[in-house]
């Protein structure tokens, strides 16, 4: 079967209209015939080297629950990226000229093989498509077709030592190019973390593209984390540093408001944010709200990580 999803021309630039799967495979270095699908169930079919390359057709594609992809223009036009601005619709124009090449990611800490990867090296990991729901802690959500590779593949290469318990990710610090970093409200650079076994879960990926193209700056180019069962703030953008550590990392949001944002930040409709309910969400593009699913609908794949854990203990006020 070949993938046959195409972005409706009304929603895209001509550039996208003519982008073929094969072009993308070439541009991203995706291994032909290896377009594994979303780890979670049914989804658009895969393409092989011998299959004629169809155009990307977003209108026909859904997530494994049958919900349509959020249009490309929304995914790339409504963003949270505080390094630039807190105004979601201004991120794309402000980030437009942010230089994302050359790019290096230094991986170190408690590992046997520390290494600084050039972006080109990271694109040599087999790139896959993953269609995931992104649920922001602000109670809106999207369905996004990412391209990327499991975090576990990189970690297996650098080989965490037996002392490593957590992975700490850091975004770029470039206040001369990112005016939001001049704000004293937050402790820059943006930092996030995962428990090592969470990072090793197959759903946790580094995204290098979306909608069949390299990531645009506003979505975290050239490489970001995507952990779909957690609130979107865990999916840290523009990563330049990854360290394996033995102490739970303090994220930018934990440092800013530990009573509101915890380390785990698992999507959970039964655990409200102190200032609003998390029981429902607004899927961008829909009129009425929909119920929020536990672990954003990925409970089957991740529940074993949290046996004996209560998400209500995640923030300081609720413990
Ligand atoms: N990463 C960095 N470096 N800076 C940010 O402000 N915002 C987070 C997350 N990653 C953020 C970040 C939040 S709150 C969300 S909801 C998602 O990115 C949004 O990703 P998107 O803009 O690609 O939809």
């Amino acid at each position: 079967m070949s993938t046959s999803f195409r972005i409706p021309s009304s929603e895209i630039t001509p550039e996208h209209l003519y982008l073929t799967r094969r072009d993308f495979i070439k541009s991203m270095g995706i291994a032909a015939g290896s377009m594994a699908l979303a780890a979670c169930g049914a989804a658009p079919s895969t393409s092989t080297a011998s299959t004629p390359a169809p155009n990307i057709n977003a209108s026909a594609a859904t997530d494994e629950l049958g919900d349509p992809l959020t249009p490309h223009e929304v995914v790339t036009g409504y963003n949270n990226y505080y390094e630039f601005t807190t105004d979601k619709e201004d991120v794309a124009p402000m980030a437009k000229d942010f230089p994302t090449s050359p790019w290096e990611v230094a991986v170190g800490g408690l590992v046997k093989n520390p290494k600084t990867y050039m972006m080109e090296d990271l694109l040599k990991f087999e790139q896959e498509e993953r269609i995931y729901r992104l649920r922001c802690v602000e109670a809106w959500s999207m369905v996004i077709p990412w391209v990327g590779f499991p975090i576990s593949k990189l970690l297996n290469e650098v080989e965490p030592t037996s002392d490593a318990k957590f992975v700490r990710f850091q975004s770029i610090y470039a206040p001369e190019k990112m005016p939001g970093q001049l704000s004293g409200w937050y402790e820059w650079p943006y930092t996030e973390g995962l428990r090592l076994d969470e990072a090793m879960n197959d759903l946790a990926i580094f995204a290098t593209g979306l909608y069949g193209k390299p990531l645009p700056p506003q979505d975290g180019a050239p490489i970001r984390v995507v952990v779909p069962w957690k609130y979107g703030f865990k999916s840290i953008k523009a990563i330049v540093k990854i360290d394996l550590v033995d102490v739970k990392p303090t994220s930018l949001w934990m440092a800013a408001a530990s009573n509101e944002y915890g380390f785990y930040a698992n999507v959970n409709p039964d655990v409200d944010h102190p200032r609003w309910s998390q029981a429902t969400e607004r899927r961008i593009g829909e009129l009425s709200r929909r119920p929020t699913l536990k672990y954003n609908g990925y409970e089957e794949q991740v529940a074993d990580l949290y046996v004996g854990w209560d998400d209500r203990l995640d923030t300081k006020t609720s413990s």
Side-chain angles (χ1 to χ4, degrees), residues 112-128:
K112 291 187 190 143
N113 314 311
K115 180 173 171 182
T116 295
Y117 290 82
M118 293 300 296
M119 195 55 211
E120 293 72 27
D121 300 330
L122 295 168
L123 289 171
K124 287 182 190 146
F125 286 98
E126 191 177 295
Q127 306 289 307
E128 311 171 10

Side-chain angles (χ1 to χ4, degrees), residues 75 78-83 134-138 140 142 144 146 171 188 190 210 218-220 224 231-238 253:
V75 175
Y78 185 88
N79 299 99
N80 268 340
Y81 204 165
Y82 278 33
E83 283 88 336
L134 175 83
R135 167 59 157 86
C136 181
V137 74
E138 298 163 339
W140 53 264
M142 299 188 188
I144 303 178
W146 302 105
S171 298
W188 308 105
Y190 197 102
L210 60 79
Q218 62 269 32
D219 286 284
R224 71 178 293 173
Y231 290 117
F233 67 82
K234 298 291 292 182
S235 292
I236 175 173
K237 298 177 172 184
W253 288 108

Side-chain angles (χ1 to χ4, degrees), residues 3-16:
T3 305
S4 61
F5 54 105
R6 177 180 306 147
I7 301 169
S9 56
S10 59
E11 292 171 3
I12 53 175
T13 62
E15 188 186 4
H16 296 97

Side-chain angles (χ1 to χ4, degrees), residues 177-283:
K177 302 189 189 81
M178 299 175 127
Q181 286 183 331
L182 299 171
S183 152
W185 285 105
Y186 302 103
E187 280 181 26
W188 308 105
Y190 197 102
T191 300
E192 261 304 339
L194 294 171
R195 224 169 54 194
L196 181 53
D197 57 346
E198 295 179 310
M200 294 298 288
N201 185 284
D202 184 62
L203 288 187
I205 61 167
F206 290 115
T208 58
L210 60 79
Y211 265 105
K213 289 201 72 179
L215 278 185
Q218 62 269 32
D219 286 284
I223 184 165
R224 71 178 293 173
V225 162
V226 179
V227 269
W229 70 96
K230 293 177 178 284
Y231 290 117
F233 67 82
K234 298 291 292 182
S235 292
I236 175 173
K237 298 177 172 184
I239 307 162
V240 291
K241 199 166 183 307
I242 301 169
D243 285 299
L244 279 287
V245 293
D246 55 2
V247 175
K248 191 188 284 178
T250 301
S251 70
L252 173 139
W253 288 108
M254 289 162 73
S258 61
N259 58 325
E260 300 198 350
Y261 306 103
F263 175 80
Y264 284 98
N266 294 323
V267 175
N268 192 328
D270 300 326
V271 182
D272 289 338
H273 186 279
R275 289 184 281 131
W276 57 84
S277 164
Q278 295 291 22
T280 64
E281 66 200 57
R282 183 171 63 94
R283 176 68 46 87

